[in-house]
Amino acid sequence: MAIAIKGLIWELSHRGNQGSEAVVALQSWYGDYLLVDNDGTVRCGYSSDCQQSLFLLNLHDYGDWILKSMCTNKYLESDGQKVFCCATHLTCNHRWVPHLAIHAHVALYNLTNNCYARVDPTTEKVCVDLPEPYLEESGFLLRFCNGMYHLETSDHRFVSKEDTLEETPSWLTAFTLHLKPGCVACFSDGKGCLFYPQGQQRILTHGACPNNTEEWFFIKRLPAWVYLKACNKRFVSIRRSQSIMANGNCEEADSAFKVWWHSGKIYLCASNGAYLTVQPVGLIVTCSMVPGPDEEFVLRLSNRAYLLLRSRYGYIGTSVCQGDLQCNQPDPLTIEMTQCRQGTYHFGVQGGRFWQVQPNGKITVEGQCPLNFYIEIRGDNFLAVMAPNGYYLRADQCGTLVADSEEITRDCLWEF
């Protein structure tokens, strides 16, 4: 589980339990650990004494964390500038507010109901009744502000303590996140009430006495679910009595397909070297050794109403200092995504403006007319974006977002 402390990203690993407290270690993205020396000095590094890197994690009632060194039995604290571990008695300086560093677009999986949360468009409530997060309504955006979280829905509204969906964030939509190792969390209204699914419809609302684990959710990265549209303008579906068989396993070569991207469309090549072909009656078979129009599929994201793109330098967002889009921002820009024909997408922002590509390849959001972009999924929740000028979007270390790469490099991969 990745968290942010003092502006740095740390991977929190659960090493066991001691009574009611979890034993954890904090490892930086550079590979070294947070260590405590006998004199209270806190540093990053490696040590043969594993006790130096272990902490007892106590969850405070208000969602704060208290970390106690197992080496010195003293508490981790900060004076606003430095971090040290010298005190044996608790003060307000020993409370830490965890900030999840995972991608902000998440799915909420309830441990008791074994279902995902979604927005019900008929009742305009959040229900916990979806077996898989394949709908747009199952995606939520975690907005972190001043130690509190705002839960934004797929239609850009905010879950409220009054069991309504508000248009703008406010104190009514600010929640305390009680976070345990493993990205297990619950939401509190700050007055002793927790949010959990209630009633036959499993509506997410707050109450004072949930049963044991009803209020706990796994906060998961929202997986990519897709539609496949064939050349006959119909979507691929499973009919076990026809040609597509779902009886393989991941260890069989026949279950593996190579994906070839071609201007926003894909070809699927089977292990025998033949491509999936759509016959006039709708059957899909592997009979063509050369891909053509009958072998083309259009891939569409089924559970994304918008995109939040993060490079290894930060999110794509706007900077107050520059008019161009930047790729090193701490807060994500919501990219409105319109799916078009032939596998293209229009990228825009709220307010009706569209992405525009400058002659030098830089991207702005001042366009009046939509442009055609292509997306190519290139791994688990990673994609590449080809701009209308024929180049891939690239993140520059200085924060510039530019479409100038002929090949997909590390800086052209975006977590979504």
Side-chain angles (χ1 to χ4, degrees), residues 32-109:
D32 47 6
Y33 287 88
L34 195 69
L35 303 176
V36 178
D37 294 330
N38 290 329
D39 62 356
T41 301
V42 177
R43 59 186 175 87
C44 294
Y46 300 91
S47 174
S48 57
D49 182 9
C50 66
Q51 291 289 102
Q52 281 189 280
S53 64
L54 298 181
F55 296 86
L56 287 176
L57 172 61
N58 180 267
L59 306 178
H60 195 267
D61 291 341
Y62 293 99
D64 301 339
W65 283 4
I66 297 172
L67 294 164
K68 184 178 182 180
S69 170
M70 293 192 67
C71 178
T72 64
N73 288 323
K74 296 179 180 178
Y75 295 98
L76 189 71
E77 62 179 305
S78 172
D79 60 2
Q81 296 293 329
K82 296 181 180 180
V83 178
F84 44 93
C85 196
C86 298
T88 57
H89 299 286
L90 285 173
T91 67
C92 60
N93 293 332
H94 300 118
R95 295 182 182 178
W96 299 85
V97 178
H99 179 192
L100 277 174
I102 64 173
H103 193 278
H105 206 175
V106 300
L108 302 177
Y109 179 78

Side-chain angles (χ1 to χ4, degrees), residues 388-404:
N389 62 2
Y391 293 97
Y392 289 99
L393 291 188
R394 179 179 61 86
D396 192 87
Q397 191 170 4
C398 68
T400 303
L401 176 66
V402 61
D404 67 353

Side-chain angles (χ1 to χ4, degrees), residues 353-369:
R353 295 173 297 163
F354 297 96
W355 279 26
Q356 185 175 22
V357 182
Q358 300 295 323
N360 60 3
K362 291 185 178 181
I363 310 295
T364 68
V365 290
E366 300 300 328
Q368 300 297 320
C369 298

